[in-house]
């Protein structure tokens, strides 16, 4: 047990993290339930993932009119997005606008990283410790720590001796990085690398992209929003909100009922061409069977590979970029602004580090099995210890001092993604076992924050002190999470962070719930209607 030295604050609830999730949870618990509640946030401002991910080109992949809070109609009327996909600075302005409007910052303590949370059974309280040694004693603990907030810097020999500068995209310097006149190496071609490369290439003397696994990408077709569209959003905010509650992934677009396998090649081509021109994540929504049938998926995959070969002029580079080993969208599908076009620039080189792996970082650059590359700056667009990482970097201990890291040794176990047996009154927002990263995040976040607030309200109304997932409910739920993933093509991407496969030694388990947001919401509502079935309330 940590030494819980005074001064210690006692509260009804403590929230960890002040991104989209932590901010809304604070509002729910403080303003609707009247709890004594505080949020602790490691960053110096609100924003969570968006606070840290300010790399060049950082932009949301969800269209702006579906990427916001929808709990208050007047909030939707009073905010106006400027682009089809909001950039990181605009999202930060939005989140600060919300925080100020609801006066949230007075109950958020910034620059405060939570290091430990230990449950005291006799008192039925959580003792929470911060890196500065402050302690909090609280009845309810809610983690709103995000899914992609633990940066993964791969353990490549030699990094310590690198004479240039290096950065991880998820811990980007707030003052920005000047690439002018610099030879830049970027490792990683996930959504982040695909967004960053075109922007870095604009100012760097030279950009070398180190690609291990080739990736699909579809044009975002980002653009400023017209006054007419902005008015449309204002006039139809409630309908748009409703649509995001009725679609599988919480987006505003529906998945078409047509089957790729029952559509002629000519018709399919036309549909894919139109989707390519429209741009965005809805490319994957043009056929119902795209994520369920290898045959259907391969029609989309081949179309995109063909586009890559059309766009990229150098045939060798095009071949490396289009040599993709997994079904389309089995990994989180990126969307881009001129990613493949970037490889036609004279100052951009692609290096295939699957064929010739990176061997070491030298004082002057990167050495692969085939050659050395002199660099002034290395950018790690190498992703995150996703979903479980943000939880496990805190020392969380439940009943009998059992550590969460031990319970999750073989992969995350929980019930509905909301609670772990043995960890009473601890709730997790959009962690593993919930749709989270497979859904438009604000939609998943609002559902979780409201469900948690309802559960706490129910307990207060009924004089209950403790809510805890039953072990058997947890086991059943984990089996369900695995079963629904198994009905999709998602587990076929073997290097995916959805599976934890990007972190050496991490158990490989499909972590998010792939049954869709609509189904998940129904299950959670049903559980609530049955008096919180699967939970022990005491
Ligand atoms: O991370 P990733 P990301 N040597 O894990 C490579 C969200 N997001 O930051 O595939 C060489 O997807 C790795 O290669 P491989 C979104 O959910 C959202 O790009 O493991 N390469 C891969 O290419 C996304 O999915 C938005 O072989 C190494 C890359 O690094 C998630 O964040 C924007 C390596 C990592 O890709 C994560 O995306 C951006 C090594 N040792 C991101 N280690 C918006 O919507 C790793 N790689 C705004």
């Amino acid at each position: 047990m940590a030494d819980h030295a005074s001064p210690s604050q006692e509260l009804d609830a403590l929230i960890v993290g002040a991104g989209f999730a932590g901010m809304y949870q604070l509002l729910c618990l403080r303003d609707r339930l009247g709890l004594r509640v505080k949020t602790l946030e490691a960053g110096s401002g609100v924003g969570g993932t968006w606070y840290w991910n300010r790399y060049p080109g950082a932009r949301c992949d969800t269209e702006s009119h579906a990427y916001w809070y929808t709990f208050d109609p007047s909030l939707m009327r009073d905010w106006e997005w400027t682009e089809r996909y909001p950039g990181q600075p605009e999202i930060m302005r939005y989140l600060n606008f919300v925080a100020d409007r609801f006066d949230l910052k007075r109950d958020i303590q910034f620059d405060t990283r939570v290091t430990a949370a230990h449950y005291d059974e006799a008192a039925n309280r959580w003792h929470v410790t911060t890196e500065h040694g402050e302690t909090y004693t609280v009845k309810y603990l809610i983690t709103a720590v995000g899914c992609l907030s633990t940066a993964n810097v791969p353990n490549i020999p030699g990094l310590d001796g690198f004479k240039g500068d290096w950065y991880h995209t998820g811990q980007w310097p707030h003052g920005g990085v000047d690439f002018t006149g610099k030879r830049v190496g970027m490792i990683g071609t996930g959504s982040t690398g695909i967004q960053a490369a075109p922007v870095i290439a604009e100012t760097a003397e030279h950009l070398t992209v180190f690609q291990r696994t080739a990736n699909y990408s579809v044009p975002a077709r980002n653009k400023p929003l017209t006054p007419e569209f902005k008015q449309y959003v204002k006039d139809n905010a409630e309908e748009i909100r409703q649509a995001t509650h009725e679609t599988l992934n919480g987006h505003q677009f529906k998945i078409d009922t047509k089957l790729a396998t029952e559509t002629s090649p000519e018709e399919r081509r036309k549909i894919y061409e139109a989707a390519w021109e429209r741009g965005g994540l809805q490319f994957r929504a043009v056929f119902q069977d795209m994520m369920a049938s290898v045959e259907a998926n391969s029609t989309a995959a081949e179309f995109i590979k063909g586009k890559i070969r059309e766009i990229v002029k150098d045939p060798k580079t095009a071949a490396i970029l289009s040599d993709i080993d997994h079904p389309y969208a089995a990994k989180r599908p990126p969307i881009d602004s001129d990613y493949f076009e970037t490889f036609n620039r004279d100052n951009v080189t692609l290096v295939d580090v699957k064929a010739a792996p990176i061997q070491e970082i030298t004082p002057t650059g990167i050495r692969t099995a085939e050659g050395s590359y002199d660099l002034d700056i290395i950018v790690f667009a190498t992703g995150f210890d996703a979903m479980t990482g943000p939880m496990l970097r805190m020392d969380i201990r439940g009943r009998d001092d059992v550590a969460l890291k031990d319970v999750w040794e073989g992969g995350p176990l929980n019930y509905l993604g909301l609670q772990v047996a043995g960890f009473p009154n601890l709730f997790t927002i959009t962690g593993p076992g919930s749709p989270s990263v497979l859904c438009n995040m604000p939609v998943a976040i609002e559902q979780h924050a409201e469900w948690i607030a309802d559960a706490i309200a129910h307990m207060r109304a009924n004089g209950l002190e403790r809510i805890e997932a039953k072990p058997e409910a947890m086991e059943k739920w984990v089996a369900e999470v695995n079963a629904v993933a198994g009905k999709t093509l998602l587990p076929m991407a073997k290097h995916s962070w959805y599976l934890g496969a990007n972190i050496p030694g991490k158990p490989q388990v499909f972590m998010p719930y792939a049954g869709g947001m609509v189904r998940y919401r129904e299950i959670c509502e049903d559980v609530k209607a049955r008096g919180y079935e699967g939970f022990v309330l005491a």
Side-chain angles (χ1 to χ4, degrees), residues 269 272-273 276 283 298-307:
R269 171 115 211 139
Y272 285 139
E273 283 291 355
W276 184 267
F283 186 90
S298 67
T299 64
E302 286 312 313
F303 176 86
I304 300 173
K305 289 175 187 178
K307 283 288 180 193

Side-chain angles (χ1 to χ4, degrees), residues 50 55 58-62 148 152 154 156 169 187-193 195 210 212-213 331-332 353 358 381-384 437 495 497 502:
W50 291 109
Y55 58 85
R59 188 174 288 289
C60 186
D61 286 352
T62 297
L148 298 160
N152 165 43
I156 303 173
T169 50
I187 305 177
T189 53
S191 301
T192 301
Q195 285 186 335
F210 295 86
R212 188 164 67 183
T213 304
K331 274 181 150 181
R332 159 66 155 70
V353 296
I358 294 176
T382 42
F384 303 89
V437 293
H495 310 287
W497 59 259
N502 61 326

